[in-house]
Amino acid sequence: MHQVILTLVILLLIAQTVLAVVLEDGDYRIYYGNYQVPKTHRFFTAVPNKRDGSVQTLPREDFDFQIWRLRNKSGGKITLESKGARGKYLGLRRSGAKPGNYLGVVPTPIRFRITRKHGGPFKAYELAYPKKVDGKTLVVSLDDGEGKEEPYFANFAIQGTEGVFGSFKMRKVSD
């Protein structure tokens, strides 16, 4: 009886580990836009500088600043390193993790929680800050508020707030 229970526990742990990986390690383009109209797609683009850079959404270009190296970490968390700015990650700028604050391209990675939001051809993902801030979950969003013009910048928003755009597509880049 104990062997059966131990075997079930081990199988459950293995299944949890396998299911925790939402996307496999590799290079991805992170973007949003109408699924059927590629010219509307806007891609997360690293814009590094000496301090903390920024992440803007721009039309597709064939350069490494729009490619992000995803690495799975424990507990269903990931890091995203800019391929164009090696050693720089999607992370916190000096202003910290608060609603409305912009994300940067920085040397210290954040272990984002990643969640699949939709399936099929409309598969999209949500990136959440790993810790609650004032009891709320912060997700990666865009400052595409009314009256703002492109490029939009990646920022934090409170999960579930009306008007928050927090789901992105991730397409693996083939070598």
Side-chain angles (χ1 to χ4, degrees):
M1 181 70 169
H2 290 345
Q3 285 181 332
V4 172
I5 292 173
L6 182 60
T7 303
L8 288 174
V9 168
I10 291 171
L11 288 174
L12 180 63
L13 289 173
I14 291 170
Q16 256 184 330
T17 302
V18 170
L19 294 174
V21 176
V22 176
L23 290 170
E24 62 185 42
D25 288 355
D27 293 343
Y28 290 84
R29 289 185 188 274
I30 305 169
Y31 66 102
Y32 72 97
N34 185 316
Y35 172 72
Q36 297 175 335
V37 187
K39 72 179 184 177
T40 66
H41 294 174
R42 296 295 179 262
F43 295 83
F44 273 39
T45 306
V47 183
N49 64 23
K50 290 181 180 180
R51 284 197 179 165
D52 49 16
S54 64
V55 179
Q56 300 177 11
T57 56
L58 300 171
R60 181 177 172 153
E61 297 286 339
D62 285 327
F63 67 143
D64 288 346
F65 290 100
Q66 289 185 337
I67 298 174
W68 298 87
R69 181 154 292 145
L70 182 147
R71 294 284 180 245
N72 282 286
K73 304 298 179 183
S74 62
K77 294 180 182 165
I78 63 164
T79 59
L80 292 163
E81 179 184 10
S82 169
K83 189 172 180 187
R86 293 205 182 265
K88 300 256 181 157
Y89 299 82
L90 180 64
L92 292 178
R93 295 180 81 173
R94 293 183 311 157
S95 53
K98 294 180 184 161
N101 284 358
Y102 294 117
L103 281 92
V105 185
V106 298
T108 306
I110 291 179
R111 291 183 175 207
F112 289 100
R113 283 185 289 117
I114 184 169
T115 308
R116 184 177 303 169
K117 298 305 283 183
H118 310 287
F122 305 105
K123 196 179 299 178
Y125 302 89
E126 180 179 76
L127 298 172
Y129 188 68
K131 299 175 187 170
K132 298 260 186 199
V133 175
D134 296 330
K136 296 181 169 75
T137 300
L138 295 181
V139 294
V140 175
S141 184
L142 298 175
D143 70 341
D144 60 347
E146 208 167 302
K148 291 196 176 191
E149 294 184 18
E150 290 186 307
Y152 302 136
F153 290 82
N155 68 348
F156 284 117
I158 298 171
Q159 184 181 46
T161 303
E162 188 175 333
V164 167
F165 186 87
S167 294
F168 301 96
K169 298 171 181 126
M170 297 181 79
R171 180 172 298 149
K172 190 157 189 182
V173 176
S174 56
D175 295 324

